[in-house]
Amino acid sequence: MSPLNRRHFLAAASAAVGGTAITTLAGCSSSDPVPAGTKTINHWDWYVAQEPWLKHEIELFQKKNPTIKIKRTVQVSDKYPDLINLAFRGGNAPDMLMIPPDPKFDEQVNMGWLRALDSHATPQWRGHFPAGNFFNGVNMAQNKVYSAPFAGQAPWLQLYIHNKLFKQAGITNPDGSVKIPRTWDDVTAAAEAITQKSRGKAYGLGFGNAQSASLPWWVELFVRGAGSPAGYGSDGPDYRVGKWTFGSDRNYADFIGLLLDWKKRGYIYPHSMSIGDEQARAFFERGRFGMIVGGVWNQPTWAEHHFTDYSVTTLPSPTGVPQAFFYYPPGGRVWAISQPSTVSDEAWAWFDWLHSPAAGQRWVEAGQGLSIFPEANKNARISSAPFQAYVSFQKYALPWPVPAIRNPEASKVVIPAVKPDLPDVLAGLYTGQLSDLGAALTALEDRRNKALADGVKKAQAKGAKVSLADWVFQDWDPTKPYQNKPA
Amino acid sequence: MQLLDTTTPRPPADGRGAAPPASPRKAGLWRRLRAARWSYLYLVPLMALLLTFVVYPIFGSLAYTFYRWNGIGSPEDFVGLGNFRQIAHDSIFWRAVGHTFVYAIVVVPVQLVLALVLALVLNNKKLRFSAFYRTLFFLPVVTSPAVVGVVIQLLVSNFGDTFNNWLLDAHLIGQPVDWLGSPKTALGIIILVGVWQTLGYNLVYFLAGLQTIPEEVYEAAKIDGAGRFRTFTHITVPLLRSVGLMIVILAFIGSFQIFDLVQVLTGGGPYFGTEVVNTYIYHLAFGGNQAQATEPDVGLASAASFFYGLLLISFSVLQVLIFRSIAKRRAAGRA
């Protein structure tokens, strides 16, 4: 027998690799038959917590439409705008996409990224949705439909409460149930009790601000309760005056002062600035702190881990009665079909599927949020008490003014980002790098308002008929739904 | 007797039609180039990649520095030198420059001293398992800084409480420390991790340098009765000088390029407390390090990177001038 030399070894290895590849390919083709004429839709999204729901929808859709295959690519959410931009530039844009937050929707339409859906999204199709959900600047541009509303509205931030820690600290009602904090003082008292009674094992409050994400959520949730309608996340000024009011509205200074006091007293989990939101959620689940601010997206992960011993509330306020709420632009958009898609009919079928009341109902049942279809919310089987509580918070979300609906020219205004913005200023104040709270907030307010003025000036220079007055809605009462009307 | 020159062609007597005499230097250069043609051929692929992916982007992005541009579509908003003016007046940029220099100035000397000491120990032929130790110290170098950052971040957040409790029990701190979330400690941790992660490079360079020193020199010193310290200061250090200079230059270049470790560990925060120039540029170009989408500014980012490049070049020129002046003064002193 001849010894195995290098050449024989390489030949044998190539044969083995080739053989395996052929066998694998053969296996693929035999076990996964693809019907003739099958078309593939390239689908991009950034869903992670929502993934189980989406995968299930893909499965159901493909079963119903065996000649359409959905090839899903999940992208990193904060890099999504760059990736989609590169994809369009490189000529390999997905067929179905989540509309990125940047560039502006109208800009995406102007650049030919999005496909007008009017041939499919007929007035009859649009009639399935609740009235007042299709607007220029939201899901339409130049009176053509490019997207459709998907989710229903509820406060996007809530205060989560760890029942076990609350009970251990004695924060209970006479019947033994957890006493839900309603006021700023309730939150302070609960944080103090948990921190002191756990003897260093747990803290009252915690968050994960490593990505500068969650400290602004605390401000957003608490100042709204106190009556400041301009939040940060939804990124609109106080439309009553058409300006940001970080420095001139005392609720901001009052709450941030309270937050710094909580820190000073040792009520806040000390590594909150080092960890990310995902880690903070895991630490909350393990009982390292008693309260965390987050969205409904927290709930599916905790359900997966079989962690159910928590309660939820929203809009804690100084008096216990919220003075301002969460707001949303009417309409809404999540998905779109790309203009260059060569399988636009198939992509429409998938788009239509996702915007059906049945898919919406499954979305609610999966605990992902509310559907735009009221009947889907009503018919859904909800077994989780915190999710049921979230559904009941719908009353705290109201439509608010949208400058681009009153004056479509307003959509031509690009408000440049400011630096440092609210997340930076909060981190600076929290870590003691900024010591003058009032000065920091006033400077931030000035930066934001100057950015709006600069954006308007630039749009005017390009011929847009727009002014700062377009951001002022003197008839807006923040406690009531706003009826947006074209001028 | 006049010697016949057979190598240089003679011009005709009338001087017309004479080929210009080939410069001996040029001929020599051509001969050298021809002789080394295979070496140049081997260099071609690398040069092509270098020109395409390093040199071209540097000059290609120069045009963007004059525009305010979010990277989408074509740049149209011409601002002239406005971006450079903005960078020069941005206190966050200067903080980032400061942090980058602090990082380099702390990391390089600490790392070099540690690397040299370890190299001396590992170069000892009597040391057993020296190959194992070399591998152990070099392992962090081949580990991705992104992975290192994630692991350190998890360690700090998961064991931070325990560490804080030890320090509190020992009365070394009055209240728990947020290791990566406090501006007082975050940069220090990045520096520590930076020293640990790139120590292996310098260790290998020093080991290579030590192995070029002939054994006979040490034997001669031993015969002359030189002790360990004298051998180190009079033989090892002088003979390592040329390698050492290269190591210092490479270490500084590496330190000024710090990015991934900062980006993964702190993202430049809290409140720019660990922002270095490369993370600053990255955040400008790709829209910040926040959950909220912010408009990127590729033009401003390009201007910042050019501005920083010019700063580094000025710094290098200043360094060369200082070294030259020191060398001149020394030479004058000797004379």
Side-chain angles (χ1 to χ4, degrees), chain A residues 182-388:
Chain A
R182 304 275 176 217
T183 66
W184 290 13
D185 287 345
D186 289 347
V187 175
T188 306
E192 185 178 10
I194 293 169
T195 308
Q196 287 177 357
K197 293 200 176 157
S198 72
R199 290 182 186 170
K201 283 186 184 161
Y203 293 84
L205 311 149
F207 52 85
N209 197 59
Q211 286 89 31
S212 307
S214 56
L215 255 181
W217 298 349
W218 284 76
V219 174
E220 176 123 24
L221 186 73
F222 280 74
V223 300
R224 282 180 188 280
S228 305
Y232 173 71
S234 45
D235 217 23
D238 182 341
Y239 283 116
R240 290 173 299 184
V241 289
K243 286 178 181 172
W244 276 278
T245 56
F246 296 118
S248 49
D249 179 343
R250 63 168 286 184
N251 290 329
Y252 289 93
D254 284 353
F255 175 69
I256 296 166
L258 180 63
L259 181 82
L260 296 180
D261 193 48
W262 289 340
K263 186 200 172 197
K264 203 169 123 194
R265 289 166 188 265
Y267 299 167
I268 300 179
Y269 178 66
H271 300 289
S272 292
M273 296 295 284
S274 289
I275 58 175
D277 182 47
E278 282 83 3
Q279 276 171 290
R281 271 145 49 190
F283 289 174
F284 173 79
E285 184 184 326
R286 291 176 208 163
R288 289 210 192 171
F289 45 85
M291 284 172 274
I292 187 173
V293 170
V296 71
W297 60 83
N298 288 6
Q299 298 191 19
T301 318
W302 287 333
E304 248 178 70
H305 299 175
H306 306 292
F307 169 61
T308 53
D309 193 21
Y310 65 93
S311 307
V312 61
T313 185
T314 193
L315 292 169
S317 62
T319 60
V321 180
Q323 304 296 311
F325 306 115
F326 283 87
Y327 305 95
Y328 61 91
R333 57 172 186 249
V334 176
W335 308 99
I337 297 173
S338 72
Q339 171 63 34
S341 173
T342 52
V343 287
S344 59
D345 285 345
E346 289 74 14
W348 167 259
W350 174 225
F351 182 95
D352 183 34
W353 177 279
L354 287 177
H355 292 86
S356 66
Q361 188 172 319
R362 289 189 289 270
W363 171 260
V364 184
E365 283 167 359
Q368 300 291 355
L370 293 169
S371 164
I372 188 68
F373 300 106
E375 68 268 29
N377 299 328
K378 208 170 70 187
N379 299 337
R381 287 180 297 275
I382 298 166
S383 53
S384 144
F387 191 71
Q388 186 58 60

Side-chain angles (χ1 to χ4, degrees), chain B residues 111-156:
Chain B
Q111 203 177 53
L112 293 187
V113 170
L114 281 176
L116 181 58
V117 170
L118 277 172
L120 287 169
V121 173
L122 294 180
N123 198 39
N124 186 345
K125 282 174 184 155
K126 289 177 191 161
L127 182 78
R128 293 178 71 191
F129 311 118
S130 78
F132 169 75
Y133 292 124
R134 285 174 200 195
T135 312
L136 198 70
F137 287 115
F138 199 71
L139 262 183
V141 173
V142 292
T143 312
S144 151
V147 174
V148 169
V150 169
V151 171
I152 298 286
Q153 204 266 346
L154 284 171
L155 280 175
V156 169

Side-chain angles (χ1 to χ4, degrees), chain B residues 190 258-269 274-276 279:
Chain B
I190 290 169
I258 175 75
F259 168 73
D260 29 24
L261 213 50
V262 176
Q263 181 63 19
V264 178
L265 274 172
T266 62
T274 57
E275 190 88 284
V276 289
T279 54

Side-chain angles (χ1 to χ4, degrees), chain B residues 4-317:
Chain B
L4 187 66
D5 180 2
T6 53
T7 54
T8 311
R10 286 172 181 234
D14 63 356
R16 280 178 301 160
S23 148
R25 204 172 157 189
K26 264 190 187 172
L29 178 68
W30 176 239
R31 210 177 300 131
R32 283 207 303 274
L33 284 174
R34 275 194 62 185
R37 61 186 178 278
W38 286 108
S39 309
Y40 287 109
L41 196 66
Y42 284 125
L43 281 176
V44 166
L46 190 66
M47 286 303 289
L49 289 172
L50 194 77
L51 288 170
T52 312
F53 294 108
V54 178
V55 179
Y56 169 71
I58 287 175
F59 292 99
S61 66
L62 182 61
Y64 300 141
T65 62
F66 303 115
Y67 290 87
R68 195 158 295 276
W69 182 47
N70 65 1
I72 293 164
S74 301
E76 286 168 359
D77 192 1
F78 185 78
V79 291
L81 292 173
N83 283 331
F84 286 98
R85 222 176 355 256
Q86 191 174 333
I87 292 295
H89 287 98
D90 187 357
S91 61
I92 300 169
F93 172 76
W94 290 109
R95 274 187 86 180
V97 171
H99 293 145
T100 312
F101 274 76
V102 166
Y103 179 86
I105 285 163
V106 178
V107 165
V108 174
V110 171
Q111 203 177 53
L112 293 187
V113 170
L114 281 176
L116 181 58
V117 170
L118 277 172
L120 287 169
V121 173
L122 294 180
N123 198 39
N124 186 345
K125 282 174 184 155
K126 289 177 191 161
L127 182 78
R128 293 178 71 191
F129 311 118
S130 78
F132 169 75
Y133 292 124
R134 285 174 200 195
T135 312
L136 198 70
F137 287 115
F138 199 71
L139 262 183
V141 173
V142 292
T143 312
S144 151
V147 174
V148 169
V150 169
V151 171
I152 298 286
Q153 204 266 346
L154 284 171
L155 280 175
V156 169
S157 55
N158 286 332
F159 297 109
D161 282 344
T162 318
F163 195 47
N164 270 335
N165 289 339
W166 289 343
L167 296 175
L168 284 166
D169 291 345
H171 302 287
L172 289 171
I173 51 172
Q175 54 186 10
V177 178
D178 193 353
W179 298 103
L180 288 173
S182 163
K184 290 175 192 154
T185 49
L187 191 60
I189 290 180
I190 290 169
I191 287 172
L192 269 179
V193 178
V195 168
W196 168 77
Q197 219 241 323
T198 46
L199 181 71
Y201 269 128
N202 299 321
L203 172 65
V204 168
Y205 293 150
F206 274 127
L207 266 174
L210 284 173
Q211 281 160 13
T212 60
I213 301 174
E215 197 58 37
E216 299 81 44
V217 187
Y218 286 115
E219 281 166 10
K222 204 173 177 184
I223 291 165
D224 288 347
R228 276 187 185 177
F229 183 72
R230 284 201 92 165
T231 308
F232 175 70
T233 52
H234 285 78
I235 294 176
T236 310
V237 171
L239 290 179
L240 269 182
R241 194 175 286 159
S242 55
V243 177
L245 188 67
M246 189 48 69
I247 295 173
V248 170
I249 291 169
L250 289 174
F252 268 111
I253 290 172
S255 298
F256 284 128
Q257 288 175 342
I258 175 75
F259 168 73
D260 29 24
L261 213 50
V262 176
Q263 181 63 19
V264 178
L265 274 172
T266 62
Y271 190 66
F272 317 108
T274 57
E275 190 88 284
V276 289
V277 177
N278 285 334
T279 54
Y280 173 85
I281 292 167
Y282 176 82
H283 294 149
L284 284 179
F286 297 102
N289 184 38
Q290 300 162 4
Q292 306 295 333
T294 53
E295 181 101 330
D297 196 332
V298 176
L300 200 59
S302 303
S305 81
F306 264 90
F307 193 76
Y308 183 53
L310 291 174
L311 268 183
L312 286 184
I313 289 170
S314 316
F315 176 71
S316 309
V317 168

Side-chain angles (χ1 to χ4, degrees), chain A residues 60-72:
Chain A
L60 292 176
F61 175 78
Q62 289 184 156
K63 211 174 271 179
K64 193 93 177 161
N65 301 274
T67 55
I68 304 177
K69 191 173 181 300
I70 293 173
K71 189 181 160 206
R72 176 181 178 236

